[in-house]
């Protein structure tokens, strides 16, 4: 597994988009450098797509959906299953692309990102043949019937972030294709290579040309052009709350459908009766995996003072034992942050917290380059107004806040004291406490005795500043449809 024979190289020697089932030369000549976050090296370039490229891709998607020969539900199911099989068949290659382009430890990319991407597509393949409308009894005399049709919403524009590039693409392609929509996907400029490879793999999987188009480029150019294109019926966005606000506002002006899956600052509550070993393992995995760059990471630890010391010791021990380093070393558990900008951002939050009285139980130190590595860090006594406790850090930094009470209203108030509402976790063996907290926590997902992302069969999404709309489950596919009501008198 040498760095010089990297499977993504061919895709970024010559920057291109993927439009209407084939590679497309970009309209303009500008490019964006692709770098390996583990070394900071430039390894190639992607095309900096512009409004002309977006227009071409949207045109291809519109043509695909307008073809008189319909792409049947069973055929869409088979295409998604074939793409999942293609991911399995190219698993090692895709893992190495994620490793090099996204700074992921090879063991993470091959054990999580790649198989999860195939599983996501398989899950949504099943939905293609299971969508349906309903028939109701009309309250009127005479012969009449009424029913609903569930139609694809139209051409969709999809914008994804850099933290789980291949999985992010699968989360967007799966439900859109299941629902019968053609799509234009704009991957993050930091991590476009696996999406380009996935698009290339679709060619042998039975996707009619134009259903899947990929335009690479910067958010402010390619992304904004996609949001503003009148041929796009819906935008599905995953990323920061700041960008999500802009996109939702732009879609509102155009009356475009939009779902925004945004950031989080998810609390994890640990009650005195919790299984501390299991809680420590789950919390450490949730906040440190992928170098903390996970929207649902358990980043605010609210722990009962009676067990705080014992729990923090356990988490610190796990953090201290994690192997950080070369992403191509199979034993490495923690890779770099995605970019120099992100590393500085993370370090800034930690420095700000330490300067206002926080204590580093572990980590908190600066690491030398090359590569954008950050130490797994646990902070305690973080000032209530410190940015580290209020904002999404998107790094391997856990902020611990001990509490004394056992009153569920008071505990929930602490947990809910955040603009975000993506997920909330609680550890307890008491059913009444578990249900009482589930009722009180303001979050799209509440998990008891677990942390992190849930099951594909259940909807996921946010409340408050974490956005709106749901992905996964029936709701995630229905988000790509529009209901049409039909009545017939006879
Ligand atoms: P971002 O939200 O700006 O980027 C995400 C995607 O949106 C990228 O594909 C980008 O090209 C696109 N984009 C950016 N501006 C756009 C615009 N005006 N119109 C259309 N598309 C646009 O996030 P960024 O700047 O990469 O990361 C900054 C912070 O955001 C992170 O530190 C993290 O806190 C948060 N973030 C959260 C994510 C999550 O899943 N919760 C994912 C990525 C970032
Ligand atoms: Mg990269």
């Amino acid at each position: 597994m040498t760095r010089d024979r990297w499977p993504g190289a061919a895709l970024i020697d010559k920057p291109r988009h993927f439009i209407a089932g084939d590679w497309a030369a970009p309209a303009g000549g500008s490019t964006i450098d692709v770098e390996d976050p583990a070394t900071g090296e430039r390894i190639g370039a992607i095309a900096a797509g512009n409004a002309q490229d977006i227009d071409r891709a949207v045109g291809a998607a519109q043509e695909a959906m307008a073809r008189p020969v319909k792409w049947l539900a069973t055929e869409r199911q088979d295409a998604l299953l074939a793409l999942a099989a293609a991911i399995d068949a190219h698993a090692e290659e895709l893992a190495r692309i994620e490793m090099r382009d996204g700074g992921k430890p090879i063991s993470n990319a091959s054990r999580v990102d790649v198989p999860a991407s195939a599983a996501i597509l398989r899950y949504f393949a099943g939905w293609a043949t299971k969508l349906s409308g309903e028939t109701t009894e009309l309250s009127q005399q005479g012969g009449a019937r009424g029913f609903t049709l569930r139609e694809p919403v139209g051409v969709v524009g999809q914008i994804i972030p850099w933290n789980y590039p291949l999985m992010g693409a699968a989360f967007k392609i799966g439900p859109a294709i299941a629902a019968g929509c053609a799509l234009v996907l704009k991957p993050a400029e930091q991590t476009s290579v696996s999406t380009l490879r996935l698009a290339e793999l679709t060619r042998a999987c039975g996707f009619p040309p134009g259903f899947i188009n990929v335009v690479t480029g910067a958010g402010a150019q390619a992304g904004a052009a996609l949001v503003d294109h009148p041929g796009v019926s819906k935008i599905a966005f995953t990323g920061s709350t700041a960008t999500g606000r802009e996109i939702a506002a732009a879609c509102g002006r155009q009356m475009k459908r939009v779902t925004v899956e945004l950031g989080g600052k998810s609390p994890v509550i640990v009650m005195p009766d919790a299984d501390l070993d299991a809680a420590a393992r789950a919390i450490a995995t949730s906040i440190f995996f992928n170098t903390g760059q996970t929207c649902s990471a358990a980043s605010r630890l609210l722990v009962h003072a009676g067990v705080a010391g014992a729990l923090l010791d356990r988490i610190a021990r796990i953090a201290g034992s994690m192997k950080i380093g070369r992403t191509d070393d199979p034993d490495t558990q923690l890779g770099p942050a995605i970019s120099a900008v992100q590393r500085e951002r993370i370090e800034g939050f930690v420095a700000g917290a330490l300067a206002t009285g926080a204590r580093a139980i572990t980590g908190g130190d600066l690491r030398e380059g090359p590569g954008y590595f950050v130490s797994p860090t646990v902070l305690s006594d973080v000032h209530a107004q410190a940015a580290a406790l209020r904002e999404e850090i998107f790094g391997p930094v856990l902020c611990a806040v001990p509490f004394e009470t056992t009153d569920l209203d008071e505990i929930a108030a602490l947990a809910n004291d955040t603009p975000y509402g993506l997920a909330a976790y609680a550890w307890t063996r008491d059913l009444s406490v578990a249900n009482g907290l589930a009722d009180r926590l303001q979050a799209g997902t509440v998990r008891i005795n677990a942390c992190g992302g849930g099951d594909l069969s259940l909807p996921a999404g946010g409340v408050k500043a974490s956005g709106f709309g749901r992905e996964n489950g029936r709701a995630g596919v229905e988000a790509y449809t529009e209901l049409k009501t039909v009545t017939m008198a006879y």
Side-chain angles (χ1 to χ4, degrees), residues 99-238:
M99 170 192 86
R100 195 90 199 268
D101 192 23
K104 293 189 183 250
I106 189 65
S107 63
N108 291 6
S110 38
R111 278 189 297 115
V112 177
D113 295 77
V114 174
S117 300
I120 291 163
L121 293 174
R122 286 200 173 92
Y123 172 76
F124 285 112
W127 273 113
T129 55
K130 278 132 204 114
L131 290 171
S132 60
E134 59 183 350
T135 311
T136 65
E137 179 192 327
L138 306 186
S139 291
Q140 64 186 64
Q141 298 297 340
R145 271 190 230 296
F147 55 90
T148 60
L149 298 174
R150 200 167 270 289
E151 300 183 333
V153 69
V155 170
V156 296
Q158 304 180 312
I159 299 171
I160 56 175
W162 39 260
N163 50 342
Y164 293 92
L166 190 65
M167 286 170 64
F171 273 127
K172 291 288 182 276
I173 290 172
I177 294 297
C181 298
L183 62 93
V184 177
L185 178 57
K186 202 225 50 90
E189 50 273 47
Q190 299 87 343
T191 54
S192 294
V193 186
S194 58
T195 303
L196 289 169
R197 183 67 179 114
L198 188 65
E200 190 177 37
L201 290 174
T202 63
R203 293 206 288 195
C205 296
F207 289 81
F211 268 91
I212 290 183
N213 307 280
V214 174
V215 174
T216 61
Q221 284 82 43
L226 185 56
V227 170
D228 289 336
H229 198 291
V232 172
S233 303
K234 170 196 161 93
I235 294 289
F237 172 77
T238 301

